[in-house]
Every structure is written in C-alpha cells, then in structure tokens.
Amino acid sequence: MTDTVRCVSPVNGEIYAELPLTPDSEIETALAAARAAQDEWAKKPVFERAKICTAAVDAMLSMRDEIVPELAWQMGRPVKFGAGELNGFEERARYMIDMADVALARVDPGPKEHFRRWISREPLGLVFVIAPWNFPFMTAVNSVIPALMAGNAVLLKHAAQTILVGERFQKAFDMAGLPKGLFRHLVLSHGQTGQIISGGHVDQVNFTGSVEGGKVMEKAAAGTFTGLGLELGGKDPAYVRADCDMAQSVENLVDGAFFNSGQSCCGIERIYVHRDVYSDFVDAYVDLTRQYVLGDPLDQATTLGPMVKGTAADFVRSQIDAAVRGGATAHIDPKHFPRDEKGSPYMAPQVLTDVNHQMAVMMEESFGPVVGIMPVADDAEAIQLMNDSPYGLTASIWTHDLNAAEEIGAGLQTGTVFMNRCDYLDPALAWTGVKDTGRGATLSKVGYETLTRPKSWHMRTSFG
C-alpha cells in the first residue's frame, strides 16, 4: 500500500497533487476530537452555528480565483465553466443555512389536556461524508453544511482525483473559526475508510459514487446500525413531446448530455422523442453538438474538456463501438475533434440514433459524452422506455402541457421529475433516487431529517 494519495491530471497525464495518507493514530485522534467537539457544538443555538457556517461559505468563495484553475487541473472541467461549481456550492450552502431554523424546529402534534408534547430533532453525532470528484464542491456541500447546522461533527474523505477540494473545505472552516475538531478532512485509503465504517466509529455515512462503491459501503456498515445515504449514479432519460419548444429543448438537452464531458450522475444519457418531431430534433441536436470545442480546459475557448482518465474515455468509446456494430448510427465524426484518440481522455461528443434497449449504451451508465436518441409513438411508450432501467435519479419532460407532464411524471420511477429543464439540483427539493441509484436524501427539509433523529417529549403537567 502506498502512503500517499495522488491526483493525476487529465490535462497532461502528470501528477498534479500528492498528499500523505492520514496515519491510523491520527484518525483515532480525529475521531475522539470530533466526538468531544460535537458535544459542545450541539448545545449552541442554530443562529450561532449559522454565523460560522456562513463565514465558511464566504471564506470558500474568497478562494475562487485559485479554485477555478485548480479544479481544471484536477478533473478537466474547462475554466470557462469553473465558476459555476462555486455558484452551485454557494446556492446550496446558503439555502440550507437559511432554512435550518424551520427544518430543526419542534414538531407540535397539537394540544392534549394535561400534557405538553413535542418532537425535537437531535443531531446524530458524527457524520462521515465520502465525496466524488465530478462535482466536488457541490456534492460535498449537500451533506457537510446541513450536518454541521444540525449539530453534528463531520469527517470528510474526498476523492483522490480532487483531493485538494478537501483541503479547501478544511481551510474555509479554519478561516471561519469553526471549533477545532468539529470538521476534519482526512486523506484515506479504501482500507482505512472501510475500517472507520465497519468499526462503528461514525453514526452516518453519506456516500456519492458507483453502485459497486455503494455495495462496499453497505458491506462495511453491516451489523453496526450505521446510517447510510447512497447516491450511486444514473442513466437519466428525457422525453421530448410533439408540443415542445424545439429550440429550447435542443439547447438544454445538448448541454444536459455534454456538460462536464457527460460526467454527471444526473446528466442526460438517453432521449426519447415523439416521432412527429424526431427528425427535426435529431438534425438540430447534431448541429449544435458539432459546435463544441474540445481542448485544453485552461483555454477560455474550450467548451469540452478531457474526461477524468483515458480508461474512462475508452469505456465510453467501447460502448459506442458496440452500439455501431449492433446497427446504431453515429452522427459525429471524431476526426473533427483534435486529440480524440484511443487511450486519450480527450473525447469527442457523440450522438447515436437507431439504438435500442438491447445495447449497453442505452442501459448501462456511460458517464461520458454520448447520448442515444430513439423515436416513440406516444406518452405511454415513452414512460415504458424511461422506466426500463436499473437506475432512477432524474427524468425530464419537454412540453408546453403542464397537466400532461404531471401525468407522465406520476408514472415515472425516478427521484426527480423535471419539466423543461434538466441536470440541476434545487436545494429546496430533496435530492434522492430509486432502484440502483441508491437510498436516502440530501438537501431540503428532508435532507435535515436524514441528518438528525427524532426525540419525543411527553410531559404530563397535571393529574386532573
């Protein structure tokens, strides 16, 4: 086992960052310090927690000019879009801070003679956040800020690919004056991570990653009664009805499929289009896709950066090749995108038609810049195909008819239903999924419920 964690940049294939693993003895110290700090933190009123968490958000934003290129080097997102990550971080953090009073307020079941009764929301204790690299600030903040606002202590393990993001979180909380020990970024191996969970050292684990990673989390937590929040990816569909706004639908669905080089759990990976508008939609979609500029993410002209690794890009290329061998039509010539070659993380976007659900590209998560488009006869066929997936994170419907969208949405097996938008998290709504996408929820009032436990108070005031 190596004693460091390395980030190999997809920009040039060289080591960009390297941090030493946290020693086991230091992990034990961090766990003890977190427990001690949490006991005192839980006694503080919500408004005092809010002041410090707000200061931490401000501190993070003050590092924006350093973070944007740092993010490009670590995971390849073009600097042109780098600020959007911090904008999303800020929106979610401030919303969860502002609504904490409401989310953590006593629940009053109503009057009962001779009694006072209520339900309080108590912190769980120690929350272990295991964050991914693809949206490293936004995914981590979904749990970190509300966990602290609810009175918990937090340990953060960030992905090796974006290991410096964990350091940024630590710096922001230190700058804000968060009590020592209450938040700690740990640089951990998979083995150390498993030992923390299997040893019952934490009260809640919030993990974002692959289905296989989620299974490892469940196995590690077995028998400990540790809570698990698992967000494990998706194969998110869109349905374009005949009454859609064509230009708006195409523009948003191209962005929804190819933003971040398609490396988004809620990115659009399959599109079903009513046959009356299918040809027009495909033509417009392909034309707009061809306008992407694949290149160095540090160049302001670049709109499509490299995927995180060459092996990840080759996996997507293999899906495309298999689909084409099975009869699919590929509409984008990779030769028009310099640097796209086998083994390279720089990969051209691809649009496939003549696809079906016997093809892996329509059933297995691609997590890359490829989308399959199929015609459908009506709403019923669209619902059937959208549900024909082991995943269920989001689904989007593109139409002018709100009633139709609600009826279609009611039949979809998914965590979020969008109408005329996609690939977005509204912090006022629960972020959740069904089937292999995982379990639990973050954000909104519901997110606070998963980071606290109910405590019932049944107080007899007289014996009348």
Side-chain angles (χ1 to χ4, degrees), residues 100-424:
D101 269 327
V102 174
L104 300 172
R106 289 180 174 183
V107 177
D108 182 357
K112 181 178 181 180
E113 191 175 7
H114 308 304
F115 289 91
R116 285 190 60 202
R117 304 174 302 161
W118 69 92
I119 303 169
S120 60
R121 303 298 312 185
E122 304 291 313
L124 297 174
L126 182 48
V127 177
F128 190 19
V129 179
I130 304 174
W133 55 265
N134 60 324
F135 287 90
F137 288 93
M138 290 197 288
T139 49
V141 81
N142 289 354
S143 298
V144 170
I145 286 291
L148 289 169
M149 286 299 302
N152 298 292
V154 174
L155 300 180
L156 171 64
K157 178 208 175 292
H158 222 295
Q161 196 66 44
T162 44
I163 195 67
L164 296 184
V165 174
E167 297 293 283
R168 291 291 181 184
F169 269 92
Q170 188 70 64
K171 184 175 181 179
F173 283 118
D174 290 346
M175 291 170 64
L178 189 73
K180 189 172 178 60
L182 195 62
F183 173 89
R184 178 69 188 272
H185 170 232
L186 300 174
V187 182
L188 303 173
S189 67
H190 292 317
Q192 289 174 313
T193 302
Q195 288 168 10
I196 290 173
I197 299 170
S198 63
H201 298 299
V202 296
D203 302 293
Q204 172 75 17
V205 177
N206 277 12
F207 169 79
T208 303
S210 67
V211 173
E212 289 307 310
K215 291 177 180 178
V216 171
M217 297 295 135
E218 286 196 324
K219 185 176 180 180
T224 67
F225 303 114
T226 301
L228 288 177
L230 305 173
E231 197 235 284
L232 308 178
K235 189 75 181 174
D236 289 8
Y239 171 38
V240 180
R241 299 183 82 237
D243 67 337
C244 72
D245 181 315
M246 180 64 71
Q248 190 252 7
S249 300
V250 169
E251 179 182 359
N252 282 271
L253 286 171
V254 167
D255 181 70
F258 302 129
F259 183 79
N260 210 39
S261 298
Q263 298 167 126
S264 173
C265 55
C266 58
I268 298 298
E269 296 206 2
R270 50 199 177 104
I271 303 174
Y272 307 98
V273 184
H274 194 280
R275 62 188 176 193
D276 290 350
V277 295
Y278 177 76
S279 294
D280 290 343
F281 178 87
V282 170
D283 288 345
Y285 198 97
V286 170
D287 286 344
L288 187 55
T289 300
R290 288 179 175 142
Q291 296 177 31
Y292 274 96
V293 178
L294 175 66
D296 184 346
L298 297 163
D299 186 338
Q300 283 288 344
T302 296
T303 56
L304 190 71
M307 291 186 64
V308 68
K309 294 178 181 178
T311 52
D314 281 348
F315 171 78
V316 181
R317 292 183 180 109
S318 70
Q319 282 191 330
I320 294 168
D321 291 345
V324 171
R325 289 195 301 271
T329 299
H331 291 264
I332 305 297
D333 186 350
K335 293 179 181 178
H336 294 159
F337 289 82
R339 304 181 74 166
D340 184 331
E341 57 185 31
K342 185 176 180 180
S344 170
Y346 290 86
M347 181 180 171
Q350 186 56 267
V351 181
L352 299 173
T353 57
D354 301 313
V355 291
N356 58 59
H357 278 216
Q358 283 69 54
M359 297 176 179
V361 76
M362 294 299 286
M363 297 299 290
E364 298 175 7
E365 186 173 31
S366 300
F367 217 64
V370 61
V371 66
I373 308 178
M374 290 177 62
V376 294
D378 52 28
D379 295 349
E381 185 179 9
I383 292 170
Q384 186 271 320
L385 289 169
M386 293 169 89
N387 284 340
D388 183 26
S389 171
Y391 295 101
L393 184 56
T394 81
S396 60
I397 304 158
W398 302 80
T399 178
H400 283 298
D401 190 333
L402 175 60
N403 290 332
E406 290 183 357
E407 290 179 9
I408 294 165
L412 295 178
Q413 300 161 1
T414 189
T416 296
V417 176
F418 291 112
M419 173 179 164
N420 297 333
R421 83 173 309 169
C422 60
D423 195 20
Y424 173 74

Side-chain angles (χ1 to χ4, degrees), residues 43-62:
K43 297 174 184 176
K44 292 185 179 296
V46 172
F47 77 88
E48 288 191 20
R49 300 177 205 158
K51 285 181 181 179
I52 294 179
C53 286
T54 298
V57 174
D58 294 339
M60 186 74 85
L61 296 175
S62 74

Side-chain angles (χ1 to χ4, degrees), residues 64 83-94 137-138 141-142 424-425 427:
R64 184 188 300 266
E85 174 87 13
L86 288 178
N87 292 341
F89 162 88
E90 180 181 15
E91 178 187 28
R92 298 176 192 185
R94 296 204 192 283
F137 288 93
M138 290 197 288
V141 81
N142 289 354
Y424 173 74
L425 278 72

